[in-house]
């Protein structure tokens, strides 16, 4: 894959073959360096919590992504510059990295999660319940 970074850390690709979710998940896993976490709930025994670090990271990165948009609203009436778009793309990538790690902690993949979500949405659409609330509608 022809991926290039400039001196500012901006990344671009020249590869005509797009990266798949499966390839992204496999290649990005090599960069996953974080502690093994165990937790105790209500004084009970320690249990492995491989989902905790990726979940906290996801929440942090989602907050950073929201912050980028908030600043455009505050500073430029919501108008995104090319620089904003680049920064936002980096934050979306960070969100995707943590989603991949969270999927792995749950024994699935990004593509498994995407397929399950699409099936859920298409079912809701077919039943006319896209609008509304509740996870089981």
């Amino acid at each position: 894959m022809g991926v290039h970074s400039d001196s500012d850390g901006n990344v671009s690709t020249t590869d005509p073959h797009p990266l798949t979710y499966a390839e992204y998940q496999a290649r990005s896993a090599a960069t996953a360096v974080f502690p093994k976490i165990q937790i105790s709930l209500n004084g009970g025994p320690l249990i492995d919590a491989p989902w905790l670090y990726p979940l906290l990271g996801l929440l942090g990165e989602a907050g950073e992504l929201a912050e980028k948009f908030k600043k455009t609203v505050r500073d430029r009436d919501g108008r995104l510059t090319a620089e904003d778009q680049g920064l936002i793309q980096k934050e979306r990538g960070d969100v995707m990295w943590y989603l991949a790690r969270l999927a792995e902690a749950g024994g699935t993949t990004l593509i498994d999660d995407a397929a399950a979500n699409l099936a859920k949405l298409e079912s809701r659409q077919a039943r006319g319940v896209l609008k509304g609330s509740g996870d089981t509608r």
Side-chain angles (χ1 to χ4, degrees):
M1 171 178 278
V3 177
H4 309 282
S5 296
D6 65 19
S7 60
D8 294 325
N10 297 311
V11 177
S12 63
T13 180
T14 56
D15 192 342
H17 306 289
L19 184 68
T20 66
Y21 282 130
E23 185 179 6
Y24 173 81
Q25 188 154 2
R27 289 174 56 189
S28 67
T31 67
V33 179
F34 50 85
K36 179 179 178 181
I37 297 176
Q38 293 186 316
I39 59 173
S40 173
L41 301 175
N42 300 318
L46 285 175
I47 60 169
D48 288 337
W51 48 267
L52 185 57
Y53 185 89
L55 177 62
L56 295 174
L58 175 62
L59 294 172
E61 293 299 339
E64 289 183 32
L65 178 60
E67 186 76 8
K68 300 294 185 217
F69 282 101
K70 182 206 76 172
K71 288 180 179 178
T72 67
V73 170
R74 180 192 67 196
D75 299 341
R76 290 183 301 287
D77 297 323
R79 293 180 187 90
L80 295 174
T81 65
E83 180 182 6
D84 294 330
Q85 292 287 10
L87 294 171
I88 287 166
Q89 182 180 35
K90 288 179 183 180
E91 295 303 334
R92 285 193 315 253
D94 291 342
V95 166
M96 180 177 277
W97 188 92
Y98 279 107
L99 281 174
R101 307 294 73 80
L102 199 53
E104 290 164 356
T108 65
T109 66
L110 284 171
I111 199 66
D112 292 336
D113 293 352
N117 181 257
L118 188 57
K120 175 188 77 175
L121 294 172
E122 289 174 342
S123 171
R124 286 180 182 173
Q125 184 177 37
R127 293 178 288 117
V129 293
L130 279 173
K131 293 182 180 180
S133 61
D135 288 340
T136 58
R137 65 179 184 274

